Amino acid sequence: MTFQEQILQGIPSELPQKRSYNLEANHAPKRKDILSDEEKKLAIRNALRYFPKAWHQELAGEFAQELKDFGRIYMYRFKPNYEMYARPLKDYPAQSVQTAAIMVMIQNNLNPAVAQHPEELITYGGNGAVFQNWAQYLLTMQYLAKMSDNQTLHLYSGHPMGLFPSPKSAPRVIVTNGMMVPNYSKQDDWEKFNALGVTQYGQMTAGSFMYIGPQGIVHGTTITVMNAFRKILPKGETPAGKIFLTAGLGGMSGAQPKAGNIVGCITICAEVNAQAATKRYSQGWVDELISDMDELINRVQEAQSKNEVVSIAFIGNVVDVWERFDKEDIFVHVGSDQTSLHIPWTGGYYPVGTTFEESNRLIREEPQVFKSMVQESLRRHAAAVNKHAHKGTYFFDYGNAFLLEASRAGADVMAENKIDFKYPSYVQDILGPMCFDYGFGPFRWVCTSGKPSDLDRTDEIAGEVLTQIMKTAPEEIQLQMQDNITWIQDAKDNKMVVGSQARILYADAEGRAKIASAFNAAVASGEIGPVVLGRDHHDVSGTDSPYRETSNIYDGSKFTADMAIHNVIGDSFRGATWVSIHNGGGVGWGEVVNGGFGLVLDGSEEADERLKSMLFYDVNNGIARRSWARNKDAIFAIKREMARTPDLEVTVPNLVDDGLLEGLL
């Protein structure tokens, strides 16, 4: 059968042969054995409902074995035989450009060059899934191929509930992931209900089909690390020869060494999974691989002496690096961590003092022992960081729940008031006040033609638009504008494309709308093919996350999730092609609510109207919320927007003199 015929078929008409387990793939860790015997029967029953009854006897035993071996039923037998990657839009069987573009994005998210655990349909973060199993993938692609622009596909945590009639102006797909009744969002709840096959963790952009490989975060990481060095270095001094020490290369953390190279420092990124480190090295995202600690010490000292710009992946545990660097008196200028601590007990963080393989065994067979080892490792980790901080290291939490989980482990990470952490979140210190409050965030696009020439042209268009905006931009955002102009001009040279022809760029509402409109005009003229717009959920408005995206909200509302919910609803009727809302993402299940969108530019006047309406709201909803929280720069930004947009009228806070409150209580 051809690729198109397989897509249109959905669940095969004949039972495929059982597949052998792919030993060469980077598999997800085996999950905790958490279900009772009756619940395991329910999980198998749930899985079998996708298939004809005549197949049940054969599949029941197979699915039971998968559940025993992996803690989940992935349905490996039903993984399609065709190669998984984002094909040109024209290669997909579809009734519309809109739905074909969604198919492009789904396949890009599952491309082995992009996805962390592609066999398990996990894109990044250890558990950030596009679907729970291969049956869901097959059915979803079939629905997308046959649906019209008067239907909407509703996805419940990867499960395609079905096609429902809807107007052409409605989103083509509605996605929810992990939306639980509030009392059922603890870590073991995810383990249980995901094992039952009734919910999944969509991370942020995985479950929204908007992940574009490590470059999806590389710009934000570049901005963060660049400004971290700006905070500590004398004006005019460059980061060359200065050290940025961090951990994680498996998913979005893989952006860190590339960002370090762009910033111009020495980056040391520790990764316990040799396969993940080697993958990033082969993709050109890290310059050197080192697995011996003595060799690492010598190489770093050499790089310092020569003021080098180099990125090094150390295959080993970052705790060992922090401790050894302290012993050798190697000064770390900037430090962080980007391991997946939102899932600390299931492979997101590997404890020091044991091997990667032994840790994976403990996760499955001795989970309580593993948990104790992780917490002891976090205490050691924090203690080592503290020693460096006393020497002058600037350490920031990269929103991966490092400080949160370290505090829960009893590590010395709390400030004197016993409420706050002693180290800031990168959003509190950098991205919040510098970017989010002004409306700047990770706008991204994908060229559905698959042509590098289309991406080159969109880079040029974006650069031209930003340069024009820069001429009249107020002083408050001149630095952000110039950083982004430099970024997009250098984007191709930095070789960031993995998978689809995609790009990311921090832009505000004005920049996003003008760039998108210029893209749409280029599509209309035939200069480029259709373009998919999106963003990271890690943005101005998309995410309510008290320890990351909204950590610089100080009016007490950072634990509320109204903004993210309003965002996805508001985007849906203002023109998004698809919208998504997730429980979890970045800092963990039950800790955050985040939403995203996709918008297809097909060159039509309708697309131009949609982009202007939707992108405006998508950004300004968040600025308005940040303004109401009394964030000074957000107040400036929303007042500026109201002055040039007559139909925008936002409630602005009246500021209180702090002295007025003294002595009242």
Side-chain angles (χ1 to χ4, degrees):
M1 297 177 71
T2 66
F3 167 71
Q4 294 198 358
E5 288 170 340
Q6 288 185 71
I7 293 290
L8 290 166
Q9 175 183 234
I11 300 292
S13 56
E14 296 182 7
L15 182 62
Q17 291 293 314
K18 184 179 178 181
R19 285 173 168 269
S20 58
Y21 188 65
N22 183 355
L23 296 175
E24 295 181 0
N26 184 20
H27 285 286
K30 295 178 181 179
R31 306 301 186 187
K32 187 187 298 186
D33 184 5
I34 198 170
L35 300 182
S36 68
D37 287 347
E38 285 303 310
E39 287 169 335
K40 288 175 181 176
K41 292 178 183 177
L42 179 58
I44 297 166
R45 187 177 293 114
N46 286 344
L48 290 173
R49 60 186 159 176
Y50 286 103
F51 307 103
K53 194 168 184 178
W55 299 356
H56 286 187
Q57 184 170 356
E58 183 171 350
L59 292 178
E62 183 177 319
F63 291 166
Q65 191 65 45
E66 284 192 10
L67 193 58
K68 180 180 178 181
D69 291 344
F70 313 118
R72 298 292 186 271
I73 299 172
Y74 296 115
M75 308 180 186
Y76 290 118
R77 179 194 290 251
F78 292 93
K79 181 186 176 185
N81 292 320
Y82 51 74
E83 192 176 351
M84 192 68 66
Y85 68 97
R87 292 161 171 77
L89 190 76
K90 61 181 176 57
D91 290 357
Y92 291 89
Q95 304 302 308
S96 77
V97 170
Q98 312 292 316
T99 55
I102 299 171
M103 296 163 83
V104 170
M105 300 302 292
I106 288 173
Q107 289 208 300
N108 187 63
N109 274 239
L110 294 174
N111 181 343
V114 174
Q116 185 180 14
H117 304 304
E119 297 284 312
E120 290 78 32
L121 303 108
I122 290 171
T123 301
Y124 72 98
N127 63 347
V130 184
F131 300 102
Q132 296 178 62
N133 57 59
W134 286 104
Q136 292 178 349
Y137 166 83
L138 294 174
L139 283 173
T140 298
M141 294 294 279
Q142 182 188 42
Y143 276 132
L144 289 168
K146 67 183 184 182
M147 66 185 286
S148 73
D149 282 342
N150 292 111
Q151 292 175 301
T152 294
L153 173 61
H154 290 258
L155 292 174
Y156 284 35
S157 285
H159 169 67
M161 190 59 70
L163 300 175
F164 293 80
S166 62
K168 188 177 181 181
S169 59
R172 297 283 67 81
V173 180
I174 304 289
V175 179
T176 58
N177 281 299
M179 301 307 293
M180 305 296 291
V181 174
N183 279 348
Y184 300 90
S185 275
K186 298 180 180 64
Q187 182 63 33
D188 275 355
D189 291 324
W190 172 74
E191 293 281 0
K192 175 181 177 179
F193 292 107
N194 189 223
L196 285 173
V198 296
T199 195
Q200 75 174 7
Y201 192 84
Q203 257 289 348
M204 303 187 91
T205 51
S208 300
F209 324 140
M210 194 49 67
Y211 187 69
I212 57 172
Q215 80 152 311
I217 198 174
V218 71
H219 188 17
T221 305
T222 300
I223 289 172
T224 300
V225 177
M226 179 188 298
N227 284 290
F229 277 109
R230 283 172 175 166
K231 289 176 74 71
I232 64 170
L233 295 180
K235 190 173 183 179
E237 187 172 338
T238 73
K242 314 295 191 302
I243 290 177
F244 169 44
L245 173 57
T246 184
L249 284 171
M252 296 193 85
S253 56
Q256 294 179 107
K258 174 71 79 172
N261 283 357
I262 296 169
V263 170
C265 62
I266 300 168
T267 304
I268 300 103
C269 192
E271 171 58 61
V272 296
N273 184 346
Q275 193 171 23
T278 303
K279 178 178 178 180
R280 293 300 177 220
Y281 176 69
S282 67
Q283 292 174 334
W285 284 75
V286 64
D287 298 328
E288 300 177 16
L289 285 176
I290 295 177
S291 57
D292 178 79
M293 181 65 77
D294 290 335
E295 183 184 347
L296 176 67
I297 298 297
N298 293 334
R299 181 67 186 93
V300 169
Q301 290 173 335
E302 177 191 22
Q304 284 187 301
S305 68
K306 296 180 179 178
N307 276 348
E308 286 187 56
V309 174
V310 64
S311 56
I312 302 167
F314 175 68
I315 302 174
N317 198 292
V318 74
V319 179
D320 287 326
V321 181
W322 281 107
E323 292 177 342
R324 183 67 183 274
F325 276 24
D326 174 55
K327 182 179 178 181
E328 301 289 342
D329 204 26
I330 294 176
F331 182 69
V332 177
H333 297 78
V334 174
S336 191
D337 186 271
Q338 210 175 97
T339 51
S340 297
L341 268 160
H342 65 283
I343 47 169
W345 326 128
T346 55
Y349 179 94
Y350 285 81
V352 66
T354 188
T355 66
F356 178 66
E357 293 74 19
E358 174 63 7
S359 289
N360 284 333
R361 185 193 69 79
L362 290 168
I363 289 170
R364 176 69 176 173
E365 298 176 12
E366 300 181 65
Q368 288 305 313
V369 172
F370 183 77
K371 180 176 180 178
S372 296
M373 291 175 67
V374 166
Q375 292 188 316
E376 172 58 28
S377 185
L378 284 168
R379 290 190 288 270
R380 273 180 64 178
H381 195 156
V385 168
N386 289 341
K387 289 181 179 180
H388 285 270
H390 286 310
K391 298 176 183 179
T393 296
Y394 174 69
F395 184 87
F396 61 88
D397 185 292
Y398 215 142
N400 64 330
F402 172 73
L403 292 178
L404 181 64
E405 287 301 333
S407 69
R408 289 169 175 171
D412 179 17
V413 294
M414 302 306 296
E416 290 184 8
N417 63 13
K418 304 301 180 185
I419 298 172
D420 301 315
F421 297 125
K422 66 169 62 176
Y423 302 109
S425 155
Y426 72 116
V427 173
Q428 287 176 292
D429 252 19
I430 298 170
L431 282 191
M434 285 195 62
C435 295
F436 293 169
D437 285 355
Y438 287 112
F440 285 85
F443 178 57
R444 60 180 58 173
W445 62 88
V446 176
C447 298
T448 63
S449 68
K451 296 177 181 177
S453 58
D454 277 15
L455 184 60
D456 291 345
R457 182 60 188 131
T458 58
D459 285 346
E460 291 172 2
I461 290 171
E464 291 163 2
V465 170
L466 291 183
T467 300
Q468 192 63 33
I469 295 174
M470 176 81 166
K471 294 177 181 177
T472 57
E475 182 180 351
E476 287 85 348
I477 61 171
Q478 286 282 329
L479 179 62
Q480 292 90 325
M481 291 296 299
Q482 186 55 60
D483 281 349
N484 283 290
I485 290 170
T486 301
W487 166 267
I488 199 65
Q489 289 173 342
D490 295 343
K492 184 176 182 179
D493 291 340
N494 289 324
K495 300 177 182 178
M496 293 179 294
V497 171
V498 176
S500 61
Q501 295 296 315
R503 186 67 76 221
I504 187 167
L505 170 72
Y506 268 53
D508 62 3
E510 179 185 13
R512 297 184 206 201
K514 287 182 176 178
I515 290 170
S517 189
F519 287 172
N520 197 53
V523 176
S525 68
E527 189 177 355
I528 59 175
V531 173
V532 172
L533 299 182
R535 57 160 168 73
D536 195 343
H537 297 204
H538 172 63
D539 197 6
V540 182
S541 303
T543 296
D544 284 299
S545 179
Y547 298 107
R548 198 164 81 173
E549 283 78 6
T550 45
S551 60
N552 71 319
I553 298 291
Y554 301 108
D555 69 347
S557 70
K558 69 180 182 179
F559 295 100
T560 66
D562 298 279
M563 180 176 71
I565 300 299
H566 274 270
N567 222 69
V568 72
I569 295 172
D571 285 357
S572 70
F573 65 77
R574 286 182 173 87
T577 306
W578 73 94
V579 291
S580 60
I581 189 77
H582 310 328
N583 167 20
V587 297
W589 179 263
E591 303 283 0
V592 50
V593 172
N594 65 92
F597 74 87
L599 176 60
V600 179
L601 304 181
D602 59 6
S604 65
E605 291 183 10
E606 181 184 28
D608 205 56
E609 292 171 3
R610 285 173 175 245
L611 73 87
K612 290 172 182 174
S613 176
M614 202 222 76
L615 293 176
F616 180 88
Y617 175 77
D618 188 70
V619 174
N620 282 292
N621 171 47
I623 299 176
R625 186 269 179 98
R626 292 167 186 277
S627 166
W628 185 240
R630 295 186 290 272
N631 290 18
K632 175 176 66 71
D633 297 325
I635 294 173
F636 162 83
I638 203 67
K639 285 183 174 179
R640 176 175 176 244
E641 196 57 74
M642 284 193 287
R644 59 186 181 182
T645 308
D647 286 345
L648 178 66
E649 186 173 351
V650 169
T651 308
V652 177
N654 294 295
L655 303 183
V656 177
D657 185 346
D658 289 343
L660 180 68
L661 306 179
E662 296 298 325
L664 288 180
L665 301 174

